[in-house]
Amino acid sequence: QVQLVESGGGLVQPGGSLRLSCAPSGSFFSISVMGWYRQAPGKERELVATFSRNGIPNYADSVKGRFTISRDNAKNTVYLQMNSLKPEDTAVYYCNAAGTVTIMPYKTFDAWGQGTLVTVSS
């Protein structure tokens, strides 16, 4: 029902910036929350930032002051502006969306994108 497509990853120098986007597609769904997670080599997936339609953006301590999550409500597209990137930010970044299908039987969903690789290296 719901597909998520991430884009914007790539190779960047330390101190540089990237902007990730996550665009949902499909029909008959309503998204409650969207956010970004990342998984570095040899590490477990971790929360980076989330944006709730009814709440305040939430960030991991490691990215506060450097990353900003934003949303285009009309498109349900979520962005992650990443500034002052560090080598330790290198990871595959995954978009996540949770919500409800708006046709019977009104199932909830928890969708993940395919991931986009961010590499911070000189």
Side-chain angles (χ1 to χ4, degrees), residues 58-80:
N58 181 52
Y59 299 94
D61 288 341
S62 60
V63 306
K64 287 182 178 177
R66 300 189 298 120
F67 292 10
T68 302
I69 188 170
S70 61
R71 181 177 183 174
D72 182 331
N73 290 325
K75 299 179 180 179
N76 282 143
T77 299
V78 170
Y79 306 92
L80 184 67

